[in-house]
Each structure stands twice: as C-alpha cells, then as structure tokens.
Amino acid sequence: MEFLIAPFEVSFVARALLAGCLATILCACVGTWVILRGLAFFGHALSHGMLPGVAIAALLGGNLLVGAVASAMAMAAGVAWVTKESRLSQDVGIGLLFVGMLALGVVLVSHSRSLAVDLTAFLLGDILGVRSSDLAALAISAALGAAACLVLHRPFMALSFDERIAATLRLRPRWAHLAMLALTGLATVASFQIVGTLLVFGLLIGPPATAALLFSRVRSIMLAAAALGTILTYAGLLISWYAETAAGATIALLTVLTFFVTLLGKRCIIAFVRH
C-alpha cells in the first residue's frame, strides 16, 4: 500500500492535497446553494469573467489574485444591476457579461505574447505550485465562506425554494441573493488557483451535484460534498502523479465522472427495485 502514500511524502504534493481539501470545503458550502438556487450558469460565467481583471493586473505588474477578485465582484454587481434595470431574466445579464468579460480578457491576453504565457497557470491551474501563503488565504476564505453559509442559512433556504416566502418572512431576499452571488465569487476566486478558471466549475458544481443525488437535506449535501471532494482531490493527485497528467484537470474530470457514475448507478438501482 506504499504507492497510496508515497506521492504525499513530497512536500509540494502534500501542500497540494491540503489546498485542494480547503478549496473543496469552501466549494461544498457555496456550491450547495449554487445548485439549489439554480446559479450554475452564473458560476460558470464567473469563472471566465475573472480573466479581464487578471489580465489587467498582469499588464500593470500587480497581484493576479487582487485582479481576479475585482473582476469577479464587478461581474456579480453587473449581473445584479442589469437584472434590476432591464427587468429581464437574470440569465440575460449573465450571458451578456459572460461574453463581454471573456471577450475583453481574450483581447487583453492576445495583446501580449508574454502575458499569454504568464496566464497559462491561471487558465489551467497549478495545484502543485501552491505556497504556504496560498494555503493561509484558502483557509481564511474557507472559514469565511462556511461562517457566512451558517449565518445566512435561513434566508438562503427561503430564497432557494420560494422568493415570495422569503419576502413575506422579511428575510430580505434581494440582499440574500446578492450575498449568494458574492459567496459564489469568493469560492470561484479562491479555487481558481487550484484547478484554473477553465476547470473551477467542476470543483464548485461536481461534488455538491453528486451529493444532491443522494441526500435531500442541505447540511447533508454540504457534508457529503465536502467528504466526496476531499476523496476526489486525493484520488486526482494520486492518479496524476503516476499517470503524469495535469493534476487540476484530473481532479476536475473525476468530479464530473463521479456525478455521471452516481446518476447511472442510482437509475439502475431504481429500475431494479421497480422490477
């Protein structure tokens, strides 16, 4: 059984495992509400909408994480504003800003060949390059995200199932929705360094969606998603070590495959019981 432990005796792989577990906890808490509220498209768009902020930060020689945060918050605020002012479906605002932000990011990246090279890790992730300072930032983000989900559990629950009930109970559904968008931005920004913007969606959606197939209670979904994400992070790092594949992409692929395997297994069990 030495092969199951050997890779994690290397310091940077051990740090990668810890970083992945912290990101998984954050994404499990926030991703559960993303699934229940129907914000999956927003999460996907946000993971790409960070690109302009990162590109501008790189051009100015600034911190890429700060640029990602600024871009994510700007997109979340823009979606809320377009939805309110246009009175159109939220998907319209998300779609417009998704295309606009992604196009702007591509234009900025294509402006400089050196910038395109520097952003490779941002797009594809670099979990094996996680530093101690990154672990501290992830731990703080995970603690803040979990605490916010705990404090806002009641308004989030009402908002996810019936916005009118949330308003009747004076739970401020509009503010709760904005808080949910902000938390989605936090989870996306905090996790992009682990699996990259192109793959962060799998970490945010995969484990919670799989857990939602097996459980109905919100807290059970969160706990199961966190446990499943941790297992898949370990498995992804182990596979990537021996198969010599990209670690972040391997983890993200496992989250998607696990969902479909669980879905098919559940359908087979239901069909067997019925017959």
Side-chain angles (χ1 to χ4, degrees), residues 218-243:
V218 172
R219 292 181 182 177
S220 297
I221 294 174
M222 287 184 180
L223 291 173
L228 178 61
T230 299
I231 294 171
L232 293 178
T233 298
Y234 167 80
L237 288 171
L238 191 67
I239 292 172
S240 69
W241 176 269
Y242 289 110

Side-chain angles (χ1 to χ4, degrees), residues 248-263:
T250 304
I251 294 170
L253 181 60
L254 284 179
T255 65
V256 176
L257 289 177
T258 301
F259 171 81
F260 284 107
V261 169
T262 304
L263 179 61

Side-chain angles (χ1 to χ4, degrees), residues 131-186:
R131 300 165 296 181
S132 298
S133 58
D134 298 324
L135 289 176
L138 266 173
I140 293 172
S141 298
L144 289 175
C149 287
L150 180 64
V151 172
L152 298 172
H153 179 83
R154 189 163 176 256
F156 279 1
M157 180 72 78
L159 180 66
S160 297
F161 290 98
D162 196 321
E163 191 170 338
R164 291 171 297 181
I165 292 178
T168 302
L169 296 174
R170 297 181 180 180
L171 294 176
R172 300 175 180 263
R174 180 171 296 178
W175 286 105
H177 181 66
L178 290 175
M180 197 176 289
L181 295 184
L183 281 174
T184 305
L186 173 66

Side-chain angles (χ1 to χ4, degrees), residues 85-164:
E85 295 298 324
S86 68
R87 296 183 181 180
L88 295 174
S89 169
Q90 181 176 251
D91 287 347
V92 175
I94 294 174
L96 289 171
L97 284 166
F98 169 44
V99 173
M101 298 283 279
L102 181 58
L104 176 60
V106 171
V107 169
L108 292 171
V109 169
S110 64
H111 180 68
S112 171
R113 293 183 179 179
S114 61
L115 177 60
V117 173
D118 293 337
L119 290 177
T120 300
F122 171 81
L123 293 171
L124 301 179
D126 187 19
I127 190 171
L128 297 178
V130 172
R131 300 165 296 181
S132 298
S133 58
D134 298 324
L135 289 176
L138 266 173
I140 293 172
S141 298
L144 289 175
C149 287
L150 180 64
V151 172
L152 298 172
H153 179 83
R154 189 163 176 256
F156 279 1
M157 180 72 78
L159 180 66
S160 297
F161 290 98
D162 196 321
E163 191 170 338
R164 291 171 297 181

